[in-house]
Amino acid sequence: MYIFWKSGDIKNVSRLLPASFAGRFSGTLFRTKRKTSLYWRHLSMADSMAVLFLFISLFVYLLSSVSGLLLSSRPSLAVRVPALLSFTAGAIGVFAAAAGMSGAANASLILPFPVFPDGMSPSSLGIISFKIDPFSSLLLMIIFFVSSLCSVYSSEYLKEYAAAGKVAGISFLFPIFVVSMAAVATADHAVSFLIFWEIMSLASYFLVMTDSEVMRTRTAGFTYLIMTHFGTAFLLFFFAIMYSGTGSLAFSDFAAGSATMDAGLRSLLFVLLMIGFGTKAGFVPLHIWLPQAHPQAPSHVSALMSGVMIKVALFSFIRFVFEFLGGAGLWCSVTLLFIGALTAAFGVMYASVDPDLKRSLAYSTVENAGIIAIGFACSLLLKLAGSQPGSAFALAATLYHCMAHAAFKSLLFLNAGAVIHAAGTRNMAEMGGLVKSMPRTSVNFLAGAMSMSALPPTAGFISEWMIFQSIVLAMGAGGALAGFAVPVAGAALALSSSLASFCAVRNMFSVFLGRCRGHRYADGHLAEPGPAILAPMWALSFTGLLLGIFSPFFVAILGAPVGAAMARGGAAMQGFADGGFFVTPSVSGASAIAPPAVFLMLLALILGLKAVTALAGLRIRNYETWSCGSDLDETMEYTPESYSQPLTVVFHKIYMPRTDISTTHFSDRLLMKRTEFHHTTTPIFETYLYKPLSGFVIWISSSFKRFQVGFVHVYLMYIFVTLVALLFAARLL
Amino acid sequence: MDFSKTIFIVAQSLFLIAIAPLLTGIIRKVKAAFQFRQGPPFLQPYYDLLKYFRKEIVVSDSASWIFHAAPYVVLAACASCSFFTPSVSFALAPSSTGDVILIVYLMALARFFMALAAMDTASAFGGMASSREMMISSIAEPAMILCFISLASSCGSANLAGIMSKVAERGDYYFAAENIFVLFALFLIVTAETGRVPFDNPATHLELTMVHEGMILEYSGKYLAMINMASYIKQAVLFAVVVNVFFPYAMASVATPPAFFAAAAALASKLIIFSIVIGVFESSLAKSRLFQVPDLIGIAFILALTSIITSAMR
């Protein structure tokens, strides 16, 4: 392993490595030539630390993966050792990312070995070509932070998979998944990007298929596989067009090449990127795999997929648009805005009616992907209008929402895993009353639910506030189309945030509050989960709270990543909010907010009220709930379906709810033996888009069956006819 | 921030909090007058709060820590809203610490905890009320934010103080159709958010008609006092916002005691007139069916959207 420095630094290198090693490879330093001098960049201290730590982290992840395989015969070690190694690797990766964010703009790293006979190496083929800069370091920070916490969680969570013998597979694939995401984040060449993108998709596919004996898992995995390759096909198309336009597949050559393309081609490229990355991120109507696949995976993998993999897709989208296309045209940005608005609205609407806890959280991920798309579209519109500080602020809002969502969605999924293990069911209509036996888990769920509903003082509120300000700025960004589209997107954003709070209240009370809605809890696991499960949840709750309270500081830190992203688009970073006490876009007439002040005010008021009531004396008496004189029964409570019933009536054009009541009578037809009540909503996209499409594909395939007669003579005749036709065609041409 | 300005802002929010129960008393008196009754005294809400404060609290067996925590969070959130509202003055408003989006989301925080606490007692009343309240607010909030976005775009500034100063400057702001639309839309939304007829009947005790009252059904004693105070403050804040955006005159511009008292008196008279208008409006309508409420809010939404499109076309 070798990192290229300028030739003067060879002494430092040889101090790091054994002498023979350095001696053997120093020859290559002077012998191999590079096409451009881009790779001979003098790395600063922070960058070299970032690169070194990143390598160590990836190496330890690979160790963890191998150990997961090797230790499969000893169950207790098989769960603990890979988790510990992954956690260490994640912690080192966090340091690497922090160093990378404070480093300079570019730190490339090339792996020159092995050298093939004709002088080519994997790096010149582009297989292993990476670049670390503040923007990708932000993504690396998200990846490694969430992964390390998920590893800690898995050290106790995977015990329930040990009996089924699935621990080896999960422990093998989880680090590979994380490594592939980190590689996609830092890829600098189309080939390495695609290789690691595919490894990421496949690793997550196999993780989703953990419980493959369940039919629903197999369907989910199948759908996921198809949709992700559908998206990757569009990315391939994108890279193919860029190659034909610029003659090279290295990202550093794309930027220059695309400037010479005309606007129509660049719009086509933007649409290709939007479909390609949108499939992975969950944009409507390409989102249908997400609510199927994310719930079926083990909870810590769901947390990683929802919280981090979506971000990898979105960060890559942002980076490709700014770096290769230099922004987007008016119609492209407005299209992205509309798709973001639709995604946010539909995602949260389906989240609010789903009785499955993990599927509801997955639909909420779709919603947040839509919100991120809205923020990004505002940034593009502001860039078009020439407002550089506004565009930087909108991009910072988008990235902040990425961070906040990663924190609270992974928290909610980890929580869901603990709760589902305790209750023995994934159906929220059978849960309830868990707050009495799992109070700490309920506090963490509340923190995640508050951040999901964008309530002050959490991080979700700050990012939502920033995106609202971006919308107000983008409205004035000129053009009648933007003037109409942006407020509609703002209304959709407000609708999605209020419905998200509906969904959060519904999920929280179904799981924790009231009394148990199923008549008993299966398996009797009703206890607070252990520290290995609680500690990551506390860490994520505090992260969400800190990101909310100290947001001026964190928004200022975002200055470097935003600048790196926009600088690649050819614009200099200027006028970014400089932290201090306030979060504000540095545009005249804009509003500001002081999150620490808001939090302190709330805290002071709550403590003051507590003091007042304590002084006045709080006399509390316990008694049973009023139930009109009869005994309180679990069936009197609201279930999640009844809670969302008014919503299905109000939005019945979208939900198309159906009620089926079937009654079986006794033979005398007077007394009812059994009544069944089914209340379902119609999933629009599956019913009206995908079913006809798949029906069409199946119809075409079955029409081709007519050619498959079964006689060899007929097949021979087909070959003969084709040959003759080809010969004629060759002669004619 | 200099000292006198801080004192001024704190005094302004304390004044709004102090006058909040009086507005409810005035509304009740106006409704009683329409029904040829004498009605309760103007200061009855204050007497009720004191009474609740002195009584004991009865807590359900099924309740958890959320039931106990909710009244504090709700009252703290609503009281913080009053801090960010430019009620007595817009020139001296704390516009750099918070804006209207913060106010809307602080109210959402209060509503979130109320809805959770209502479900905590495992009663059907709480569930019904909580479900309806969240459904109504989930459509009322986008309409409200759309109104404020429309105001922001036509006034060129996103915070309330900027909007009010722009309206005060122009003098003939409300002679344009699109601004009247926003005003009507905002009036409807404020009626919805404060739980007034036709959206919710604050005087009812029938479970089928309760929205806000149902959520607080299980509360008693000091907790009930805090929650009622919070709903009075929320109502006062929303009234103050509408009144000052429509009529931002006679407001203080310097932080001196005489200016404060004069502007506070002006605010009190504006709020009293608005409360009388709300009382008249409530008495002339019946409470609508639950599923007619989205249609009413849809009217507000369309009005706000029309206003935005009209100003975008201009």
Side-chain angles (χ1 to χ4, degrees):
Chain A
M1 190 170 78
Y2 212 76
I3 301 172
F4 272 88
W5 270 282
K6 249 196 192 144
S7 50
D9 287 333
I10 184 65
K11 293 198 197 72
N12 299 333
V13 174
S14 45
R15 251 191 271 130
L16 282 177
L17 304 169
S20 60
F21 216 52
R24 187 139 29 109
F25 278 95
S26 58
T28 55
L29 193 68
F30 303 103
R31 188 172 59 214
T32 2
K33 291 254 190 286
R34 289 282 163 262
K35 283 198 205 126
T36 70
S37 59
L38 191 63
Y39 306 110
W40 290 82
R41 197 167 283 274
H42 183 67
L43 299 180
S44 66
M45 180 62 178
D47 287 336
S48 40
M49 273 214 315
V51 165
L52 186 65
F53 278 136
L54 185 63
F55 265 121
I56 298 179
S57 159
L58 296 181
F59 181 65
V60 178
Y61 266 120
L62 290 175
L63 267 186
S64 155
S65 163
V66 165
S67 74
L69 269 186
L70 293 177
L71 291 172
S72 53
S73 50
R74 317 245 222 111
S76 65
L77 277 185
V79 168
R80 298 259 172 78
V81 168
L84 181 67
L85 284 173
S86 300
F87 172 67
T88 324
I92 299 176
V94 166
F95 277 119
M101 283 217 298
S102 56
N106 291 309
S108 315
L109 40 110
I110 304 299
L111 294 170
F113 75 100
V115 181
F116 295 138
D118 53 353
M120 297 222 290
S121 68
S123 64
S124 65
L125 287 174
I127 295 180
I128 310 180
S129 166
F130 305 108
K131 182 171 7 178
I132 299 184
D133 72 332
F135 188 72
S136 29
S137 302
L138 179 65
L139 182 56
L140 286 177
M141 172 77 82
I142 296 178
I143 294 175
F144 288 126
F145 183 70
V146 176
S147 313
S148 53
L149 292 174
C150 289
S151 315
V152 175
Y153 181 89
S154 70
S155 67
E156 191 170 321
Y157 179 73
L158 284 183
K159 286 189 190 146
E160 61 182 76
Y161 287 89
K166 297 177 179 160
V167 174
I170 301 179
S171 310
F172 172 64
L173 286 166
F174 181 84
I176 293 186
F177 185 37
V178 178
V179 165
S180 60
M181 283 198 286
V184 168
T186 51
D188 201 34
H189 193 283
V191 174
S192 54
F193 182 88
L194 284 171
I195 288 181
F196 285 103
W197 181 264
E198 191 61 24
I199 293 181
M200 180 175 85
S201 308
L202 287 178
S204 50
Y205 166 74
F206 284 114
L207 282 168
V208 162
M209 293 283 273
T210 305
D211 288 321
S212 53
E213 66 271 3
V214 177
M215 178 68 188
R216 220 197 315 181
T217 312
R218 293 202 293 275
T219 319
F222 180 66
T223 313
Y224 177 37
L225 205 59
I226 294 183
M227 293 305 292
T228 188
H229 284 110
F230 175 78
T232 314
F234 279 87
L235 289 179
L236 272 171
F237 199 8
F238 171 81
F239 285 127
I241 296 186
M242 293 301 278
Y243 179 73
S244 71
T246 60
S248 129
L249 280 174
F251 284 1
S252 45
D253 298 328
F254 278 3
S258 73
T260 58
M261 296 180 184
D262 66 338
L265 189 58
R266 265 188 290 176
S267 302
L268 172 69
L269 290 172
F270 183 85
V271 169
L272 289 176
L273 282 180
M274 190 163 68
I275 299 180
F277 286 118
T279 318
K280 198 64 149 197
F283 290 169
V284 144
L286 304 161
H287 68 287
I288 55 157
W289 64 273
L290 217 155
Q292 294 182 29
H294 283 207
Q296 302 301 119
S299 297
H300 63 300
V301 173
S302 300
L304 214 54
M305 284 173 77
S306 263
V308 178
M309 194 170 72
I310 309 287
K311 305 301 171 305
V312 169
L314 288 165
F315 267 69
S316 305
F317 183 35
I318 295 176
R319 178 184 165 201
F320 280 26
V321 168
F322 271 124
E323 183 177 352
F324 305 154
L325 303 180
L330 180 64
W331 278 96
C332 285
S333 313
V334 171
T335 309
L336 182 63
L337 193 67
F338 267 127
I339 288 194
L342 276 178
T343 309
F346 274 111
V348 76
M349 279 196 213
Y350 284 121
S352 308
V353 297
D354 209 308
D356 183 336
L357 175 59
K358 285 177 86 170
R359 207 159 60 209
S360 171
L361 292 175
Y363 269 118
S364 163
T365 301
V366 171
E367 171 218 345
N368 283 284
I371 296 180
I372 294 173
I374 292 178
F376 182 44
C378 288
S379 175
L380 289 173
L381 281 170
L382 284 165
K383 183 156 197 277
L384 264 186
S387 162
Q388 197 54 33
S391 176
F393 183 78
L395 190 61
T398 313
L399 296 181
Y400 211 81
H401 195 80
C402 289
M403 287 160 58
H405 179 246
F408 74 74
K409 192 42 64 69
S410 29
L411 168 63
L412 285 171
F413 265 112
L414 295 183
N415 223 305
V419 154
I420 289 172
H421 177 68
T425 171
R426 251 167 66 180
N427 188 1
M428 284 194 287
E430 292 164 14
M431 296 192 206
L434 285 175
V435 71
K436 298 282 170 69
S437 39
M438 302 167 76
R440 299 202 187 107
T441 316
S442 70
V443 171
N444 284 308
F445 196 94
L446 182 71
M450 279 175 68
S451 202
M452 183 164 118
S453 323
L455 299 178
T458 59
F461 166 66
I462 299 290
S463 61
E464 193 99 7
W465 185 91
M466 286 169 76
I467 297 186
F468 270 120
Q469 299 307 317
S470 318
I471 284 184
V472 170
L473 288 175
M475 240 175 37
L481 184 63
F484 169 67
V486 173
V488 170
L493 183 65
L495 177 74
S496 84
S497 114
S498 54
L499 278 178
S501 115
F502 180 99
C503 179
V505 168
R506 173 180 176 263
N507 289 0
M508 175 122 194
F509 90 74
S510 306
V511 173
F512 289 106
L513 303 182
R515 297 163 140 216
C516 173
R517 287 171 185 83
H519 290 290
R520 49 168 173 78
Y521 276 121
D523 294 325
H525 292 150
L526 284 185
E528 196 80 74
I533 291 192
L534 273 180
M537 297 204 280
W538 284 123
L540 285 168
S541 306
F542 275 117
T543 309
L545 205 59
L546 287 176
L547 280 177
I549 301 173
F550 295 109
S551 38
F553 172 67
F554 288 109
V555 170
I557 289 186
L558 278 182
V562 167
M566 305 198 73
R568 287 156 144 186
M573 174 181 82
Q574 28 155 297
F576 201 74
D578 68 335
F581 204 47
F582 305 103
V583 176
T584 175
S586 327
V587 177
S588 67
S591 28
I593 191 177
V598 174
F599 173 69
L600 282 176
M601 192 179 343
L602 281 173
L603 193 65
L605 281 170
I606 292 178
L607 292 176
L609 285 169
K610 274 227 180 275
V612 164
T613 51
L615 278 177
L618 211 59
R619 283 176 299 144
I620 300 185
R621 182 164 61 97
N622 278 333
Y623 197 63
E624 58 191 39
T625 310
W626 170 244
S627 51
C628 295
S630 55
D631 292 327
L632 191 67
D633 193 355
E634 296 83 34
T635 57
M636 290 180 184
E637 287 188 280
Y638 260 52
T639 63
E641 287 111 339
S642 46
Y643 200 82
S644 50
Q645 190 264 350
L647 207 64
T648 60
V649 174
V650 170
F651 292 111
H652 63 273
K653 288 267 160 51
I654 298 177
Y655 287 120
M656 292 187 278
R658 284 174 23 149
T659 305
D660 299 311
I661 302 179
S662 65
T663 311
T664 335
H665 293 271
F666 284 106
S667 49
D668 53 8
R669 305 233 202 97
L670 291 173
L671 298 172
M672 277 198 292
K673 195 197 285 192
R674 182 187 167 86
T675 306
E676 276 192 21
F677 173 87
H678 291 270
H679 184 77
T680 49
T681 58
T682 317
I684 294 189
F685 295 100
E686 283 91 331
T687 317
Y688 294 109
L689 181 60
Y690 285 94
K691 253 201 162 57
L693 260 179
S694 57
F696 177 68
V697 168
I698 292 179
W699 175 78
I700 287 195
S701 318
S702 33
S703 345
F704 270 103
K705 264 202 296 189
R706 280 190 233 138
F707 290 113
Q708 315 241 340
V709 184
F711 294 115
V712 184
H713 322 295
V714 185
Y715 296 154
L716 285 174
M717 191 192 68
Y718 288 159
I719 296 176
F720 180 69
V721 166
T722 315
L723 266 178
V724 168
L726 278 176
L727 284 170
F728 265 118
R731 276 208 78 156
L732 286 172
L733 293 172
Chain B
M1 250 201 300
D2 58 314
F3 198 56
S4 61
K5 190 174 168 194
T6 321
I7 299 264
F8 191 92
I9 294 172
V10 172
Q12 142 182 290
S13 58
L14 284 178
F15 177 74
L16 194 62
I17 291 178
I19 204 180
L22 178 63
L23 304 178
T24 307
I26 294 174
I27 296 177
R28 286 188 196 157
K29 200 74 158 172
V30 168
K31 283 161 78 167
F34 267 87
Q35 295 163 15
F36 293 102
R37 291 189 286 121
Q38 228 184 14
F42 285 107
L43 299 181
Q44 184 63 36
Y46 294 98
Y47 304 146
D48 286 338
L49 286 173
L50 274 174
K51 175 182 73 172
Y52 292 138
F53 207 76
R54 281 197 295 261
K55 289 190 180 265
E56 78 170 349
I57 302 175
V58 180
V59 170
S60 155
D61 287 328
S62 325
S64 67
W65 63 270
I66 289 189
F67 189 85
H68 293 276
Y72 298 100
V73 176
V74 167
L75 185 53
C78 292
S80 315
C81 284
S82 75
F83 186 80
F84 295 112
T85 324
S87 41
V88 171
S89 153
F90 56 78
L92 300 167
S95 56
S96 58
T97 19
D99 74 331
V100 69
I101 304 277
L102 178 64
I103 294 178
V104 168
Y105 276 99
L106 279 171
M107 292 186 186
L109 174 68
R111 192 168 39 232
F112 181 87
F113 272 92
M114 275 310 323
L116 270 183
M119 306 302 304
D120 202 8
T121 54
S123 79
F125 300 114
M128 191 185 302
S130 173
S131 153
R132 292 167 170 197
E133 168 75 20
M134 293 304 284
M135 183 267 286
I136 294 177
S137 73
S138 68
I139 10 183
E141 222 178 270
M144 181 152 66
I145 291 192
L146 205 60
C147 292
F148 285 120
I149 289 184
S150 162
L151 280 171
S153 81
S154 61
C155 291
S157 161
N159 55 357
L160 278 174
I163 295 174
M164 289 176 195
S165 64
K166 200 64 188 297
V167 173
E169 263 171 41
R170 278 180 45 180
D172 62 343
Y173 184 77
Y174 285 102
F175 291 162
E178 62 235 26
N179 303 326
I180 303 259
F181 285 167
V182 174
L183 182 65
F184 277 140
L186 213 48
F187 182 80
L188 269 177
I189 296 299
V190 162
T191 321
E193 287 279 327
T194 52
R196 298 268 137 218
V197 174
F199 298 91
D200 176 20
N201 191 350
T204 184
H205 291 285
L206 303 172
E207 62 267 17
L208 289 178
T209 56
M210 284 199 270
V211 178
H212 179 75
E213 304 299 315
M215 287 200 292
I216 63 177
L217 198 65
E218 289 286 330
Y219 275 110
S220 49
K222 291 190 174 63
Y223 289 163
L224 186 58
M226 288 198 271
I227 290 181
N228 279 343
M229 187 67 200
S231 64
Y232 297 152
I233 296 176
K234 175 174 164 181
Q235 177 179 270
V237 163
L238 286 172
F239 285 5
V241 164
V242 172
V243 147
N244 283 338
V245 162
F246 176 58
F247 205 73
Y249 305 112
M251 295 174 84
S253 39
V254 285
T256 60
F260 175 78
F261 286 118
L267 174 73
S269 46
K270 281 192 271 187
L271 285 175
I272 289 174
I273 296 176
F274 192 75
S275 309
I276 295 176
V277 166
I278 290 273
V280 171
F281 182 70
E282 277 201 283
S283 306
S284 50
L285 288 174
K287 178 186 173 309
S288 39
R289 269 195 320 123
L290 177 68
F291 292 117
Q292 283 174 343
V293 164
D295 298 339
L296 290 170
I297 300 183
I299 295 176
F301 189 87
I302 297 293
L303 283 174
L305 200 59
T306 314
S307 154
I308 290 183
I309 297 177
T310 326
S311 50
M313 293 301 165
R314 194 168 288 218

